[in-house]
Coordinates of all heavy atoms in Angstrom, one line a residue:
M303 N 133.0 15.4 170.8 CA 132.3 16.6 171.1 C 133.1 17.8 170.7 O 132.5 18.8 170.2 CB 131.9 16.6 172.6 CG 131.1 17.8 173.0 SD 129.5 17.5 172.3 CE 128.6 18.8 173.0
K304 N 134.4 17.7 170.9 CA 135.3 18.8 170.5 C 135.3 19.0 169.0 O 135.3 20.2 168.5 CB 136.7 18.6 171.0 CG 137.6 19.7 170.9 CD 139.0 19.5 171.5 CE 139.8 20.7 171.4 NZ 141.2 20.4 172.0
N305 N 135.3 17.9 168.2 CA 135.3 18.0 166.8 C 134.0 18.6 166.3 O 134.0 19.4 165.3 CB 135.5 16.6 166.2 CG 136.9 16.1 166.3 OD1 137.8 16.9 166.6 ND2 137.1 14.8 166.3
A306 N 132.9 18.3 166.9 CA 131.6 18.8 166.5 C 131.6 20.4 166.7 O 131.0 21.1 165.9 CB 130.5 18.2 167.2
M307 N 132.2 20.8 167.8 CA 132.2 22.2 168.1 C 133.1 23.0 167.1 O 132.7 24.0 166.6 CB 132.8 22.4 169.5 CG 132.8 23.8 170.0 SD 131.2 24.2 170.6 CE 131.7 24.8 172.2
I308 N 134.2 22.4 166.7 CA 135.1 23.0 165.7 C 134.4 23.1 164.4 O 134.5 24.1 163.7 CB 136.4 22.2 165.6 CG1 137.2 22.3 166.9 CG2 137.3 22.7 164.4 CD1 138.5 21.4 166.9
I309 N 133.7 22.1 164.0 CA 133.0 22.1 162.7 C 131.9 23.1 162.7 O 131.6 23.9 161.8 CB 132.4 20.7 162.4 CG1 133.5 19.7 162.1 CG2 131.4 20.7 161.2 CD1 133.1 18.3 162.0
A310 N 131.1 23.2 163.9 CA 130.1 24.2 164.0 C 130.6 25.6 163.9 O 130.0 26.5 163.2 CB 129.3 24.0 165.3
I311 N 131.8 25.9 164.5 CA 132.4 27.2 164.5 C 132.9 27.5 163.1 O 132.7 28.6 162.6 CB 133.5 27.3 165.5 CG1 132.9 27.3 166.9 CG2 134.3 28.6 165.3 CD1 134.0 27.2 168.0
G312 N 133.3 26.5 162.4 CA 133.8 26.7 161.0 C 132.7 27.0 160.0 O 132.8 27.7 159.1
L313 N 131.5 26.4 160.3 CA 130.4 26.5 159.4 C 129.6 27.8 159.7 O 128.8 28.3 158.8 CB 129.5 25.3 159.4 CG 130.0 24.0 158.9 CD1 129.0 22.9 159.1 CD2 130.3 24.2 157.4
L314 N 129.7 28.4 160.8 CA 129.0 29.5 161.2 C 129.1 30.7 160.3 O 128.1 31.3 159.8 CB 129.3 29.9 162.7 CG 128.5 31.1 163.3 CD1 127.0 30.6 163.3 CD2 129.0 31.4 164.6
P315 N 130.4 31.1 159.9 CA 130.5 32.2 158.9 C 129.8 32.0 157.6 O 129.2 32.9 157.0 CB 132.0 32.4 158.8 CG 132.6 31.8 160.0 CD 131.7 30.7 160.4
S316 N 129.9 30.8 157.1 CA 129.3 30.5 155.8 C 127.8 30.5 155.9 O 127.2 30.9 154.9 CB 129.8 29.1 155.2 OG 129.4 28.1 156.1
I317 N 127.3 30.1 157.0 CA 125.8 30.1 157.1 C 125.3 31.6 157.2 O 124.3 32.0 156.7 CB 125.4 29.3 158.4 CG1 125.7 27.8 158.1 CG2 123.9 29.5 158.7 CD1 125.5 27.0 159.4
C318 N 126.1 32.4 158.0 CA 125.7 33.8 158.1 C 125.8 34.6 156.8 O 125.0 35.5 156.6 CB 126.6 34.5 159.2 SG 126.3 33.8 160.8
L319 N 126.8 34.3 156.0 CA 127.0 35.0 154.7 C 126.2 34.5 153.6 O 126.2 35.0 152.5 CB 128.5 35.0 154.4 CG 129.4 35.8 155.3 CD1 130.8 35.6 154.9 CD2 129.0 37.2 155.4
S320 N 125.5 33.3 153.7 CA 124.9 32.7 152.6 C 123.7 33.6 152.0 O 123.5 33.6 150.9 CB 124.3 31.3 153.0 OG 123.3 31.5 154.0
G321 N 123.1 34.4 152.8 CA 122.1 35.3 152.4 C 122.6 36.6 151.8 O 121.9 37.3 151.1
C322 N 123.9 36.9 152.0 CA 124.4 38.1 151.5 C 125.0 38.0 150.1 O 125.3 39.0 149.4 CB 125.5 38.6 152.4 SG 124.9 38.9 154.1
I323 N 125.3 36.8 149.6 CA 126.0 36.6 148.3 C 124.9 36.4 147.3 O 124.2 35.4 147.4 CB 127.0 35.5 148.4 CG1 128.1 35.8 149.4 CG2 127.6 35.3 147.0 CD1 129.0 34.7 149.7
N324 N 124.9 37.2 146.2 CA 124.0 37.0 145.1 C 124.8 36.9 143.8 O 125.7 37.7 143.6 CB 123.0 38.2 145.0 CG 122.1 38.3 146.2 OD1 121.7 37.2 146.7 ND2 121.8 39.5 146.6
I325 N 124.5 36.0 143.0 CA 125.1 35.8 141.7 C 124.0 36.1 140.7 O 123.0 35.4 140.6 CB 125.7 34.4 141.5 CG1 126.8 34.2 142.6 CG2 126.3 34.3 140.1 CD1 127.4 32.8 142.5
K326 N 124.3 37.1 139.8 CA 123.3 37.5 138.8 C 124.0 37.7 137.5 O 125.1 38.3 137.4 CB 122.6 38.8 139.3 CG 121.5 39.3 138.4 CD 121.0 40.6 139.0 CE 120.2 41.3 137.9 NZ 119.8 42.7 138.3
A327 N 123.4 37.3 136.4 CA 123.9 37.5 135.1 C 123.8 39.0 134.8 O 122.8 39.7 135.1 CB 123.2 36.7 134.1
P328 N 124.8 39.6 134.1 CA 124.8 41.0 133.7 C 123.6 41.3 132.7 O 123.3 40.4 131.9 CB 126.1 41.3 133.1 CG 126.6 40.0 132.7 CD 126.0 38.9 133.6
D329 N 123.1 42.5 132.8 CA 122.1 42.9 131.8 C 122.6 43.1 130.4 O 122.0 42.8 129.4 CB 121.5 44.3 132.3 CG 120.8 44.1 133.6 OD1 120.4 43.0 134.0 OD2 120.7 45.2 134.3
K330 N 123.9 43.6 130.3 CA 124.5 43.8 129.0 C 125.5 42.7 128.7 O 126.0 42.1 129.7 CB 125.3 45.1 129.0 CG 124.4 46.3 129.3 CD 125.3 47.6 129.3 CE 124.6 48.8 129.9 NZ 125.4 49.9 130.0
P331 N 125.7 42.4 127.5 CA 126.7 41.3 127.2 C 128.1 41.8 127.6 O 128.4 43.0 127.6 CB 126.6 41.1 125.7 CG 125.9 42.3 125.2 CD 125.1 42.9 126.3
I332 N 129.0 40.9 128.0 CA 130.3 41.2 128.4 C 131.1 41.5 127.1 O 131.1 40.7 126.2 CB 131.0 40.1 129.2 CG1 130.2 39.9 130.5 CG2 132.4 40.4 129.5 CD1 130.6 38.7 131.2
E333 N 131.8 42.6 127.0 CA 132.6 43.0 125.9 C 134.0 43.0 126.2 O 134.5 43.6 127.2 CB 132.2 44.4 125.4 CG 133.0 44.9 124.2 CD 132.6 46.3 123.7 OE1 131.5 46.7 124.0 OE2 133.5 46.9 123.2
I334 N 134.8 42.2 125.5 CA 136.2 42.1 125.7 C 136.9 42.7 124.5 O 136.8 42.2 123.4 CB 136.7 40.6 125.9 CG1 136.0 40.0 127.1 CG2 138.2 40.6 126.0 CD1 136.3 38.6 127.2
N335 N 137.5 43.8 124.7 CA 138.1 44.6 123.6 C 139.6 44.2 123.5 O 140.4 44.6 124.4 CB 137.9 46.1 123.8 CG 138.3 46.9 122.6 OD1 138.7 46.4 121.6 ND2 138.1 48.2 122.7
L336 N 140.0 43.6 122.4 CA 141.4 43.2 122.2 C 141.9 44.0 121.1 O 141.9 43.5 119.9 CB 141.5 41.7 121.9 CG 141.0 40.7 123.0 CD1 141.0 39.3 122.5 CD2 141.8 40.9 124.3
N337 N 142.4 45.1 121.4 CA 143.1 46.0 120.4 C 144.5 45.5 120.2 O 145.4 46.0 120.9 CB 143.1 47.4 120.8 CG 141.7 48.0 120.6 OD1 140.9 47.6 119.8 ND2 141.4 49.0 121.5
V338 N 144.7 44.6 119.3 CA 146.0 44.0 119.1 C 146.5 44.5 117.7 O 145.8 44.3 116.7 CB 146.0 42.5 119.1 CG1 147.4 41.9 118.8 CG2 145.5 42.0 120.5
S339 N 147.7 45.1 117.7 CA 148.2 45.6 116.5 C 149.3 44.6 115.9 O 150.3 44.4 116.6 CB 148.8 47.0 116.7 OG 149.4 47.4 115.5
I340 N 149.0 44.1 114.7 CA 150.0 43.2 114.1 C 150.6 43.9 112.9 O 151.3 43.3 112.1 CB 149.3 41.9 113.7 CG1 148.2 42.1 112.8 CG2 148.9 41.1 114.9 CD1 147.7 40.8 112.1
K341 N 150.4 45.2 112.7 CA 150.9 45.9 111.6 C 152.4 45.8 111.5 O 152.9 45.6 110.4 CB 150.4 47.4 111.7 CG 150.9 48.2 110.5 CD 150.4 49.6 110.7 CE 150.9 50.5 109.6 NZ 150.5 51.9 109.8
Q342 N 153.1 46.0 112.6 CA 154.5 46.1 112.6 C 155.1 44.7 112.1 O 156.0 44.7 111.3 CB 155.1 46.4 113.9 CG 156.6 46.5 114.0 CD 157.1 46.9 115.4 OE1 156.3 47.0 116.3 NE2 158.4 47.1 115.5
E343 N 154.6 43.7 112.6 CA 155.1 42.3 112.2 C 154.8 42.1 110.7 O 155.7 41.6 110.0 CB 154.3 41.3 113.0 CG 154.8 39.9 112.7 CD 154.1 38.8 113.4 OE1 153.4 39.1 114.5 OE2 154.1 37.6 113.0
V344 N 153.7 42.5 110.2 CA 153.4 42.3 108.8 C 154.3 43.1 107.9 O 154.8 42.6 106.9 CB 151.9 42.6 108.5 CG1 151.6 42.6 107.0 CG2 151.0 41.6 109.2
V345 N 154.5 44.4 108.3 CA 155.4 45.3 107.5 C 156.8 44.7 107.5 O 157.5 44.7 106.4 CB 155.4 46.7 108.1 CG1 156.4 47.6 107.4 CG2 154.0 47.3 107.8
V346 N 157.3 44.3 108.6 CA 158.7 43.8 108.7 C 158.8 42.5 107.9 O 159.8 42.3 107.1 CB 159.1 43.5 110.2 CG1 160.4 42.7 110.3 CG2 159.2 44.8 110.9
K347 N 157.8 41.7 107.9 CA 157.8 40.4 107.1 C 157.8 40.7 105.6 O 158.5 40.1 104.9 CB 156.6 39.5 107.5 CG 156.8 38.1 107.1 CD 155.7 37.3 107.7 CE 156.1 35.8 107.7 NZ 155.2 35.0 108.4
L348 N 157.0 41.7 105.2 CA 156.9 42.0 103.8 C 158.2 42.7 103.4 O 158.7 42.4 102.3 CB 155.7 43.0 103.6 CG 154.3 42.4 103.6 CD1 153.3 43.5 103.4 CD2 154.2 41.4 102.5
Q349 N 158.8 43.5 104.2 CA 160.1 44.1 103.8 C 161.2 43.0 103.7 O 162.0 43.1 102.7 CB 160.6 45.1 104.9 CG 159.8 46.4 104.9 CD 160.2 47.3 106.0 OE1 160.9 47.0 106.9 NE2 159.7 48.6 105.9
K350 N 161.2 42.0 104.6 CA 162.2 40.9 104.5 C 161.9 40.1 103.2 O 162.9 39.8 102.5 CB 162.0 40.1 105.7 CG 162.9 38.8 105.7 CD 164.0 38.9 106.6 CE 164.8 37.6 106.6 NZ 165.6 37.3 105.5
D351 N 160.7 39.8 102.9 CA 160.3 39.1 101.7 C 160.7 39.8 100.4 O 161.3 39.2 99.5 CB 158.8 38.7 101.6 CG 158.4 37.7 102.7 OD1 159.3 37.0 103.2 OD2 157.2 37.5 102.9
A352 N 160.5 41.1 100.4 CA 160.8 41.9 99.3 C 162.4 42.0 99.1 O 162.9 41.9 98.0 CB 160.3 43.3 99.4
Q353 N 163.1 42.2 100.2 CA 164.5 42.2 100.2 C 165.1 40.9 99.6 O 166.0 40.9 98.8 CB 165.1 42.5 101.5 CG 166.6 42.7 101.6 CD 167.0 44.0 100.7 OE1 166.3 45.0 100.7 NE2 168.1 43.8 100.0
D354 N 164.5 39.8 100.1 CA 165.0 38.5 99.6 C 164.7 38.3 98.1 O 165.5 37.8 97.4 CB 164.3 37.4 100.4 CG 164.8 37.3 101.8 OD1 165.8 37.9 102.2 OD2 164.0 36.6 102.7
L355 N 163.6 38.8 97.7 CA 163.2 38.7 96.2 C 164.2 39.5 95.4 O 164.6 39.1 94.3 CB 161.8 39.1 96.0 CG 161.2 39.1 94.6 CD1 161.1 37.6 94.2 CD2 159.8 39.7 94.5
I356 N 164.5 40.7 95.9 CA 165.4 41.6 95.1 C 166.8 41.0 95.1 O 167.4 41.0 94.0 CB 165.4 43.0 95.7 CG1 164.0 43.7 95.5 CG2 166.5 43.9 95.2 CD1 163.8 45.0 96.3
T357 N 167.2 40.5 96.2 CA 168.6 39.9 96.2 C 168.7 38.6 95.4 O 169.7 38.4 94.7 CB 169.0 39.5 97.7 OG1 168.2 40.2 98.6 CG2 170.4 39.8 97.9
S358 N 167.7 37.8 95.3 CA 167.7 36.6 94.6 C 167.5 36.8 93.1 O 167.8 36.0 92.3 CB 166.7 35.6 95.1 OG 165.4 36.0 95.0
N359 N 166.9 37.9 92.7 CA 166.6 38.2 91.3 C 167.1 39.6 90.9 O 166.3 40.5 90.6 CB 165.1 38.1 91.0 CG 164.6 36.7 91.3 OD1 165.1 35.7 90.8 ND2 163.5 36.6 92.1
P360 N 168.4 39.9 90.9 CA 168.8 41.3 90.6 C 168.5 41.7 89.2 O 168.4 42.9 88.9 CB 170.3 41.2 90.8 CG 170.7 39.7 90.7 CD 169.5 39.0 91.1
E361 N 168.3 40.8 88.2 CA 168.0 41.2 86.9 C 166.6 41.7 86.7 O 166.3 42.5 85.8 CB 168.2 40.0 85.9 CG 167.2 38.8 86.1 CD 167.6 37.9 87.2 OE1 168.6 38.0 87.9 OE2 166.7 37.0 87.4
L362 N 165.7 41.4 87.6 CA 164.3 41.9 87.6 C 164.2 43.3 88.2 O 163.3 44.0 87.8 CB 163.4 40.9 88.4 CG 163.2 39.5 87.8 CD1 162.3 38.7 88.7 CD2 162.7 39.6 86.4
F363 N 165.1 43.6 89.0 CA 165.1 44.9 89.7 C 166.4 45.7 89.6 O 167.2 45.7 90.5 CB 164.8 44.7 91.2 CG 163.5 43.9 91.5 CD1 163.6 42.6 91.7 CD2 162.3 44.6 91.4 CE1 162.4 41.9 92.0 CE2 161.1 43.9 91.7 CZ 161.2 42.5 92.0
P364 N 166.7 46.2 88.4 CA 167.9 47.0 88.2 C 168.0 48.2 89.0 O 167.0 48.9 89.3 CB 167.9 47.3 86.7 CG 166.5 47.2 86.3 CD 165.8 46.3 87.2
Q365 N 169.2 48.6 89.5 CA 169.3 49.7 90.4 C 170.0 50.8 89.6 O 170.9 50.8 88.9 CB 170.0 49.4 91.6 CG 169.2 48.4 92.5 CD 169.9 48.1 93.8 OE1 170.9 48.7 94.1 NE2 169.3 47.3 94.6

């Protein structure tokens, strides 16, 4: 009897709140804006590649 009382008390809040919770799809589509800048990485990589090319072929790029 004691276990039934504990279960009933535990279920009471969920029964009371079941009418208050509504799940509804949004009217507008969800937009996730990922403004990720990869410019710095590309520039650094190109500078490294260019420096390696110049160092390995000094005859092509006289200073």
Side-chain angles (χ1 to χ4, degrees):
M303 186 69 172
K304 188 176 183 181
N305 288 340
M307 183 82 125
I308 293 173
I309 292 173
I311 292 172
L313 291 176
L314 186 62
S316 64
I317 293 170
C318 293
L319 293 176
S320 65
C322 300
I323 299 172
N324 294 323
I325 298 175
K326 181 181 166 190
D329 296 336
K330 300 176 191 174
I332 298 172
E333 180 180 332
I334 300 173
N335 192 356
L336 298 175
N337 288 330
V338 178
S339 177
I340 59 169
K341 180 181 176 183
Q342 183 178 5
E343 180 182 342
V344 171
V345 169
V346 169
K347 195 170 199 171
L348 286 175
Q349 287 176 348
K350 172 107 174 74
D351 289 346
Q353 185 64 38
D354 291 345
L355 182 65
I356 292 170
T357 337
S358 63
N359 300 308
E361 70 278 357
L362 297 177
F363 304 97
Q365 294 184 4

